[in-house]
Amino acid sequence: MENQANSPELKKFIQKSSNLFWYIPEDKKQDISLGVLVETILNYGSRESVRKLFELIGIEKASEVFKEQIKNKRNNYFKPVRNFFELYFARHA
């Protein structure tokens, strides 16, 4: 996934959601890929953080990233999360 998570708004959002990226060194968090950002927020974020993600990158882009990620049989989405967002994006994106 290309690295588009470096706009000032996304950097601020990543910093605000920093605890969700506990496994990434502090100096590397601002450089995470859009794929990592979408996956982490959809899997672990609050309703508010998901809403903010959609506001920043757009629901269509989030849907595009999500659908590309779930093409692989092995992915990192929890089954209930994957099911929810498959239905959600089918209806809203």
Side-chain angles (χ1 to χ4, degrees):
M1 210 58 53
E2 71 278 357
N3 188 349
Q4 296 179 354
N6 52 10
S7 73
E9 296 85 12
L10 283 175
K11 283 185 177 187
K12 186 175 178 182
F13 177 63
I14 292 166
Q15 182 179 12
K16 186 176 178 184
S17 305
S18 181
N19 62 322
L20 298 177
F21 305 98
W22 58 269
Y23 55 93
I24 298 175
E26 283 299 318
D27 61 330
K28 303 288 184 197
K29 287 183 183 179
Q30 299 301 313
D31 300 323
I32 62 172
S33 69
L34 193 54
V36 170
L37 178 62
V38 169
E39 180 183 298
T40 302
I41 296 299
L42 295 186
N43 258 337
Y44 302 106
S46 65
R47 179 174 46 174
E48 180 60 29
S49 61
V50 171
R51 185 197 63 75
K52 186 68 174 174
L53 175 70
F54 292 168
E55 181 182 307
L56 290 171
I57 68 169
I59 195 169
E60 292 81 14
K61 185 64 177 174
S63 174
E64 183 182 307
V65 171
F66 173 80
K67 288 176 182 174
E68 186 64 33
Q69 290 173 327
I70 65 169
K71 281 182 182 178
N72 297 323
K73 191 168 189 148
R74 293 183 137 213
N75 60 65
N76 293 324
Y77 286 100
F78 298 121
K79 286 183 182 185
V81 171
R82 179 181 172 161
N83 183 58
F84 176 82
F85 282 105
E86 283 178 319
L87 297 171
Y88 184 88
F89 289 135
R91 184 170 191 168
H92 297 285

